[in-house]
Amino acid sequence: MRNMSTAVLYNDQGGAEAAVEAGQESTPTTSSTGAAFGLFSTDFKKNEDLKEMLESNKESLKLEAMKRVVGLIAKGKNSSELFPAVVKNVASKNIELKKLVYVYLVRYAEEQQDLALLSISTFQRALKDPNQFIRASALRVLSSIRVPIIVPIMMLAIKEAAADLSPYVRKTSAHAIQKLYSLDPEQKEQLIEVIEKLLKDKSTLVAGSVVMAFEEVCPDRIDLIHKNYRKLCNLLVDVEEWGQVVIISMLTRYARTQFTSPWKEGAIFDENNEKTFYESDSEEKKEQMEAKPYIMDPDHRLLLRNTKPLLQSRNTAVVMSVAQLYWHLAPKHEVNIVTKSLVRLLRSHREVQYIVLQNIATMSIQRKGMFEPYMKSFYVRSTDSTHIKTLKLEILTNLANEANISTILREFQTYVKSQDKAFAAATIQAIGRCATNISEVTDTCLNGLVLLLSNRDETVVAESVVVIKKLLQTQPTQHSEIIKHMAKLFDNITVPMARASILWLMGEYCERVPKIAPDVLRKMAKTFTAEEDIVKLQTVNLAAKLYLTNSKQTKLLTQYILNLGKYDQNYDIRDRTRFIRQLIVPNEKSGALNKYARRILLAPKPAPVLESAFKDRDRFQLGTLSHSLNVKATGYQELSDWPAVAPDQSVRNVEVIEPVKEWAPLVGKTKKSKSEDKFYSDDEDEKEEEESESSGSEDSSSSSDEESGSESEEESSEESEKTSSDSGKSSSGSEKSSSESEAEQKKKKKTKKAPLKKNKPTAGDSDSDENGNGPVAQSSSSSAESSSSSESDSEDDSDSDDITAQKKKKSQVKSKPKVEVKSKKEVSLLDLDDFSPAPTNTPKSLVVSSSLLSDLEGLSLSNISSTMQVTTPSFGPVKTYELLHHMTGKGLSAKYHFPRQPCLYQPSMVAVQVILTNSSDHSLEEIHIGDRSPASLNIHCFNTIERLEPEASVTVSMGVDFSDSTQAANFQLCTKEDQFSVSIQPAVGELLMPSTMTEEDFSKEQGKLLGMNETSATITMATANTSSQAIAKQVLSVANVGVVSSSQNNVHRFAGRTVSSGAVVLVSLEQKESSAALLTINTEKSVMASMLLRDLKQALAQA
């Protein structure tokens, strides 16, 4: 796992690409003539050449050499002798070169520890480097030098990196924890502290890695997970794939210790029950619920609900881990949802198929119904390898029942003819199992197996004999004919196991075939010395049984065989012969046992039970190595049994506040009134947490970088916990509106009428808009204010509302960034200019929704900066695109353009205006939007146009949520008679909204978006575009951004935000000599950045 992650990390840095390039360049140039000597000499020369390049003064040569060296490593060639030459470049100023040197050092630091130690001071300096990749690489190299003497330095570096602003560096620190623990396990306690801190991290980038470190260092410290359980459940969807696997595995173990079993007898599963449980706020209801046999813990349900979407993951390991989670944790009637996904995995490579089939085989023993509908997926293909075929056979046998047995046996008949001998033998065993499990087909199967005895293929015959032997034991009385038939075939069968089986049958049922058995013994006496040991043993047994039942005919034969056995080379046979002689031949010494010989040898024997090889595998957790090998592997952690009584669930309550804040920050510390505590139940909060977390988790990883203060994410999250309310519930009033009484809302509307006329919703409201709580946008003018007003409802309600309403009016009129919050005990004034350093309930930056664009001009936004504002576009060129041609649309034509106005319907949507024209000679009726693709596409459709007369045209508005992607929105434009497939393809610049800020704030924001978040290129501009007006015109024609005033004439700056997620996009253009210029784009959305760069480059180059 760890190696996989690090490989992925290097990809990000471009190291792997360099390695590939270098690998192509550095193919060995050995001459065919020099043979071995030539090979060594050229290799030696080549490395000398690389040394010279590494020691030269030119950066380009060094970079070239490092690419080739990394290429050698990628090919598995040893380049450790270059270590001294490479280490010299560790302090290079060139970032690309530095990255490659670090890639090299990670590989060889452990082998060349002394030399690596010499450059430790360089790595320590690099840990403070402004570039996040250099900091992360330095930590990676440092943790790769496995020398006990530097443990304290590593410990310090890990602690610092764990508090780094960059989630990428924090992720690397989580990887380093595991390396340090393996080097010095005594550091466990200190490392657990770091893990505890990193577990609180809200970044999806860090989550997987820190849980991996948790699993390695302290898997038994479940108490560390309590507070982070809900957050991990909610982040799960956005974590990288291998992280998802680790987190799901850990949460499976966690859930087995914290929740009661959903498999109890008489458990009631009524979805309505669960809903009342989530929403119940009265004690009586809860007591009624507890009286019922089983009600699922809301956290248990949260885990199941949040892992379900991962069944559609492209990563087979993720699907497999979700399947095992459902198998071990879900109520039995819900496990079936994993079936389809597991069957889908059978289209993967054979390695994946093998593991998936093993798990399905275990599942199908306990729950046949799960896989019965997909029985055809387990039919064997000729291209399958033997181990896949046998697993599919196993599953088909497990699925066999009275209804489908005829189909399965028809399938088996073809398999028996297979050229693959091992598979054919396994099929015969499978037929035997079906015959014992389903009594209706026992006779059919037996007759079929007897027919197989005349098969030319020995293995088929041998296996048939063995299986028939087992089947005959279940009902021997009816089958003397079969035994006779087998005796006739005895001479032709050469496989020892088959011969032994026939001899055993003869002996066991010798009284049913009294004439044939002695003759078989006679033949065996002739060939006894040439037989295999297993056959000799059964011959001795047969002789003994015949001696007891038919001593007249067989006495001499038995003595002869016992004498042969007495001098056999194998001591097992000598022992058996000695024992049998004493048991059956009476003499004065043999004494008491002789009387019981018949009862001992001819005792009725129970029929063997033909069981699946996977019967006992369910003792291991599905999807683990131990399950696959059927042996407990090193490091396997057993799943504990469900607790009889669920542990206290309140230990998980703390994190409920977090997610809401990601969207709607509170201004100031607010405490809840007791009445409110009772009014909103935990479960409701949790629901809201899921909604906002799932929508907001993507931005969370980077949004901390936008804080104006310098504190790290962890510190501020700790503060947020301190300042949160005692019960640990969310205190954002806007989120809770769904359960507020109408009377309260009316009250608020009356007292706030004046400010509401201006209709200035804040960012807090936009979130509740998205969640569909319509009235909230009007009922609260800011999330902090609404929460404070709802608190004071119990006391002086109208009074506090009047104060806040007046203050709100003032701030709107004067545009001063001050808001007064009336809390239950005191009135505190917060100066928003000095907002960042103050401890607030939220470290997250505000994500601005596009509905605020025009409304919030001049109103300062708290967390971003005091001067960053969202503005209306200053330039709006109308480019019209064709949506539907009148020829294709049978007279209906449609054109669209982006008006660059905030979308009224939903803040995350881009506004689109469509002009519909009727070019036909008859009127068109019921023009509307039909199906959309993909179905999840969020479009706000225009109202149906009942009638459009000939030559008339109408303009309608739509909203499309492109989710910050230039992927086309496909949908159907329909009239009463026809449907036309159309698509709106947005230019990347239309996915932005403009924002204005000062030059100083621009630089500050830009400083937070360096490294991976920066894309730049040198461009050549057309001469007509060199004036600042022309540049602004061209940039604004491409992208919907705002102009930032600049003190330098040669630098032009533009700022905007993405409409859907609100990520900052900064464009700067620095003019060089003549018409060259450096164009830089800073944003987290790197794909958008490269596309925007391309479009701007094109626009500025055009005259």
Side-chain angles (χ1 to χ4, degrees), residues 354-369:
Y354 179 64
I355 297 296
V356 173
L357 286 167
Q358 277 190 326
N359 288 289
I360 291 176
T362 305
M363 290 173 163
S364 59
I365 292 171
Q366 287 185 27
R367 301 188 201 165
K368 294 183 179 185

Side-chain angles (χ1 to χ4, degrees), residues 732-941:
S732 155
S734 62
E735 279 292 305
K736 296 218 178 95
S737 66
S738 49
S739 58
E740 272 186 19
S741 65
E742 285 175 37
E744 276 182 65
Q745 289 194 4
K746 279 177 192 167
K747 232 187 253 180
K748 286 184 191 175
K749 278 182 192 169
K750 278 175 198 164
T751 51
K752 293 184 190 170
K753 251 178 197 170
L756 283 176
K757 277 173 193 165
K758 298 190 179 183
N759 190 17
K760 294 199 178 183
T762 59
D765 312 337
S766 71
D767 188 45
S768 56
D769 274 356
E770 284 174 36
N771 291 344
N773 304 336
V776 189
Q778 283 99 37
S779 72
S780 63
S781 359
S782 88
S783 56
E785 189 181 319
S786 74
S787 61
S788 66
S789 59
S790 61
E791 284 146 28
S792 46
D793 276 346
S794 53
E795 287 185 7
D796 41 335
D797 182 277
S798 56
D799 179 32
S800 82
D801 274 347
D802 287 342
I803 293 172
T804 43
Q806 285 166 10
K807 290 287 170 191
K808 185 73 182 157
K809 265 191 222 169
K810 251 187 227 175
S811 69
Q812 285 165 351
V813 174
K814 296 181 185 175
S815 285
K816 278 186 185 170
K818 300 217 174 182
V819 179
E820 184 175 309
V821 180
K822 169 85 170 73
S823 138
K824 194 172 179 184
K825 291 185 180 168
E826 80 247 40
V827 179
S828 65
L829 270 165
L830 287 181
D831 185 352
L832 294 192
D833 286 340
D834 310 319
F835 188 61
S836 331
T840 73
N841 270 16
T842 114
K844 296 290 171 203
S845 71
L846 196 63
V847 179
V848 186
S849 63
S850 60
S851 67
L852 309 176
L853 287 180
S854 52
D855 299 347
L856 283 190
E857 267 184 290
L859 202 148
S860 167
L861 290 172
S862 60
N863 237 15
I864 301 155
S865 77
S866 54
T867 41
M868 180 188 264
Q869 299 161 355
V870 190
T871 64
T872 43
S874 52
F875 177 86
V878 179
K879 288 184 193 168
T880 307
Y881 308 90
E882 187 162 68
L883 188 63
L884 180 66
H885 192 270
H886 67 88
M887 296 295 283
T888 325
K890 300 183 182 175
L892 175 65
S893 72
K895 291 181 176 175
Y896 69 93
H897 66 268
F898 298 97
R900 294 194 175 180
Q901 290 297 329
C903 182
L904 302 171
Y905 313 116
Q906 209 170 309
S908 60
M909 287 185 172
V910 176
V912 183
Q913 285 196 344
V914 182
I915 301 160
L916 300 167
T917 311
N918 183 358
S919 312
S920 66
D921 50 2
H922 59 277
S923 59
L924 297 169
E925 294 182 351
E926 292 179 22
I927 302 170
H928 63 280
I929 288 176
D931 294 341
R932 57 202 72 176
S933 162
S936 59
L937 182 67
N938 191 3
I939 295 184
H940 187 285
C941 312

Side-chain angles (χ1 to χ4, degrees), residues 193-214:
E193 286 171 26
V194 183
I195 289 174
E196 189 172 5
K197 189 176 185 184
L198 284 172
L199 277 169
K200 292 175 186 167
D201 202 305
K202 296 172 201 68
S203 167
T204 50
L205 202 62
V206 182
S209 304
V210 68
V211 171
M212 187 68 212
F214 170 83

Side-chain angles (χ1 to χ4, degrees), residues 397 400 405 409 412 428-447 449 467-468 470-472 474-475 610:
T397 315
I405 186 66
L409 285 177
F412 284 175
I428 293 166
Q429 285 183 353
I431 293 172
R433 265 180 61 201
C434 291
T436 50
N437 295 343
I438 301 162
S439 51
E440 288 87 340
V441 293
T442 309
D443 292 349
T444 324
C445 290
L446 254 178
N447 296 337
L449 290 169
V467 173
I468 287 171
K470 288 176 182 171
L471 289 180
L472 288 183
T474 56
Q475 35 190 197
L610 297 173

